[in-house]
């Protein structure tokens, strides 16, 4: 069974940085288009960034120029480098295949104070 484990969240002041990590079991990184999502209580989960197996990335408009998604297929790890964080980036962040094809992990909380 595929397991996704997110880590790296925390409390940071506006303008600060965090790097999130996503570790996956089951060797999924070699064949999948992966993504980071985020969810705020009471709202739907939204796509933040995605990356193809070969490293081509795309971003939601509000994070372009601030966030960078990357992956290490050999290690089955994906990252989300988040710079210039804003209070509106506060959410629980999740990783999954593009389209959410696997069971969701517990996520990692990111809180940005103003």
């Amino acid at each position: 069974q595929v397991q996704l484990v997110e880590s790296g969240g925390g409390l940071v002041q506006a303008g600060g940085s965090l790097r999130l990590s996503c570790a996956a079991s089951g060797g999924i990184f070699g064949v999948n288009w992966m993504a980071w999502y985020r969810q705020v209580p009471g709202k739907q989960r939204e796509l933040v960034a995605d990356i193809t197996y070969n490293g081509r990335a795309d971003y939601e408009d509000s994070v372009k120029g601030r966030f960078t998604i990357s992956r290490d297929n050999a290690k089955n790890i994906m990252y989300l480098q988040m710079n210039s964080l804003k209070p509106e980036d506060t959410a629980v962040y999740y990783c999954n295949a593009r389209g959410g094809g696997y069971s969701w992990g517990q996520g990692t909380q990111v809180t940005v104070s103003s």
Side-chain angles (χ1 to χ4, degrees):
Q1 185 176 352
V2 172
Q3 266 196 315
L4 299 167
V5 180
E6 303 90 349
S7 61
L11 173 63
V12 64
Q13 287 188 330
S17 299
L18 286 172
R19 188 175 83 155
L20 307 184
S21 297
C22 169
S25 64
I28 65 173
F29 274 45
V31 296
N32 274 289
W33 189 2
M34 297 298 294
W36 282 98
Y37 299 81
R38 64 187 179 187
Q39 188 170 26
V40 175
K43 294 189 176 181
Q44 283 194 330
R45 189 174 285 137
E46 65 171 356
L47 178 67
V48 175
D50 57 46
I51 185 167
T52 66
Y53 172 76
N54 292 320
R56 184 174 62 86
D58 198 11
Y59 300 91
E60 192 269 329
D61 284 346
S62 69
V63 307
K64 282 181 180 177
R66 301 189 297 121
F67 290 11
T68 303
I69 188 173
S70 61
R71 61 191 288 171
D72 185 331
N73 294 328
K75 295 181 179 179
N76 281 339
I77 298 177
M78 182 173 65
Y79 302 100
L80 185 67
Q81 177 66 44
M82 305 188 297
N83 299 328
S84 302
L85 282 161
K86 302 176 180 180
E88 51 263 44
D89 295 318
T90 295
V92 179
Y93 284 71
Y94 301 88
C95 62
N96 209 315
R98 183 69 161 85
Y102 299 99
S103 296
W104 294 93
Q106 82 287 353
T108 186
Q109 175 72 48
V110 171
T111 304
V112 184
S113 63
S114 57

